Amino acid sequence: QKEVEQNSGPLSVPEGAIASLNCTYSDRGSQSFFWYRQYSGKSPELIMFIYSNGDKEDGRFTAQLNKASQYVSLLIRDSQPSDSATYLCAVNDYNQGGKLIFGQGTELSVKP
Amino acid sequence: DVKVTQSSRYLVKRTGEKVFLECVQDMDHENMFWYRQDPGLGLRLIYFSYDVKMKEKGDIPEGYSVSREKKERFSLILESASTNQTSMYLCASSFSVTNEKLFFGSGTQLSVL
């Protein structure tokens, strides 16, 4: 059973700090990695995706991928209370193209 | 922007009823998916479809069926609703097999009494 693991949290950080969210996956054949943000009562929305080893930056968000260690992380710099949400890591199932496997999500709380 | 529309935001049904959840996307996406989301269990894939009239079972297909008669529409059917099917149901679509970025609808909170 292919798995994507995340700490459920809650992860609590003060406003302005860096929030670090981590995800590990079991399928070495995975090639595409996604981070979704889900506010309470809302549906998930895509915020970052990464395909290659290394870092990918988009504004205050940085996705990091290490395929050798099978982990992907999301850094949120200068965290804001509006970043408080559940963050879902998703990894593609290479053998069933287009199908994503989701982690259970990490709840982030940014305290003013 | 991609728009994925689910027909109902809240739905209350009785045990044994046949339930239809409708989903429409407006961006000519090939792939469509139905997930359910439960506290502590995350997102679980029920069924997905790569093309019209095609369907594939996901991780938890029991008690559900789907229909995709047109490319833009993907319906989830609960043949005989049960209380353990009370959940948030999320429809999603993606452009193609090689472009897996998912776009979600706003969800349908189904309560089966």
Side-chain angles (χ1 to χ4, degrees):
Chain A
Q1 176 75 16
K2 293 163 188 170
E3 294 182 344
V4 177
E5 299 285 344
Q6 296 180 257
N7 289 326
S8 60
L11 173 66
S12 183
V13 301
E15 184 174 357
I18 296 175
S20 178
L21 305 162
N22 299 312
C23 172
T24 59
Y25 59 94
S26 62
D27 183 7
R28 284 195 171 273
S30 298
Q31 296 184 334
S32 308
F33 307 87
F34 305 86
W35 283 100
Y36 287 82
R37 178 176 62 200
Q38 187 174 24
Y39 291 115
S40 180
K42 301 293 186 181
S43 57
E45 59 176 329
L46 180 66
I47 56 171
M48 289 288 286
F49 58 92
I50 186 167
Y51 300 136
S52 303
N53 273 330
D55 294 359
K56 178 181 178 182
E57 189 173 314
D58 184 1
R60 296 186 295 111
F61 298 95
T62 299
Q64 299 176 318
L65 175 61
N66 184 324
K67 288 186 178 180
S69 300
Q70 293 176 248
Y71 83 78
V72 56
S73 61
L74 179 70
L75 301 179
I76 306 174
R77 291 182 300 281
D78 188 24
S79 295
Q80 302 296 311
S82 59
D83 295 324
S84 298
T86 296
Y87 290 80
L88 302 168
C89 173
V91 175
N92 79 323
D93 185 339
Y94 183 69
N95 291 320
Q96 297 190 48
K99 175 185 169 183
L100 297 187
I101 301 172
F102 283 84
Q104 292 194 6
T106 298
E107 182 184 350
L108 173 66
S109 177
V110 181
K111 304 295 186 183
Chain B
D1 281 351
V2 175
K3 190 162 185 183
V4 180
T5 303
Q6 293 184 232
S7 53
S8 304
R9 184 71 179 94
Y10 299 97
L11 212 52
V12 180
K13 296 292 182 181
R14 295 205 177 275
T15 302
E17 279 193 77
K18 191 169 186 176
V19 181
F20 293 86
L21 302 182
E22 305 287 343
C23 176
V24 177
Q25 51 93 4
D26 66 357
M27 283 301 290
D28 202 34
H29 282 181
E30 293 181 1
N31 304 339
M32 296 189 75
F33 305 81
W34 275 106
Y35 290 88
R36 65 177 281 178
Q37 188 173 33
D38 302 286
L41 296 177
L43 279 164
R44 293 182 292 168
L45 182 62
I46 305 171
Y47 266 97
F48 57 107
S49 169
Y50 290 138
D51 201 352
V52 176
K53 296 191 185 295
M54 293 186 68
K55 60 185 179 184
E56 298 282 344
K57 291 180 179 179
D59 300 319
I60 51 164
E62 295 79 18
Y64 304 94
S65 62
V66 290
S67 172
R68 194 169 181 197
E69 296 296 319
K70 294 185 178 181
K71 190 174 184 178
E72 67 271 19
R73 186 180 297 271
F74 192 37
S75 303
L76 180 70
I77 304 157
L78 286 66
E79 297 291 344
S80 177
S82 63
T83 55
N84 63 12
Q85 292 179 310
T86 292
S87 185
M88 171 65 80
Y89 289 86
L90 291 163
C91 175
S93 69
S94 65
F95 183 71
S96 69
V97 166
T98 55
N99 185 344
E100 315 101 311
K101 293 190 280 285
L102 282 180
F103 297 88
F104 285 87
S106 55
T108 296
Q109 179 62 54
L110 173 67
S111 297
V112 182
L113 306 178

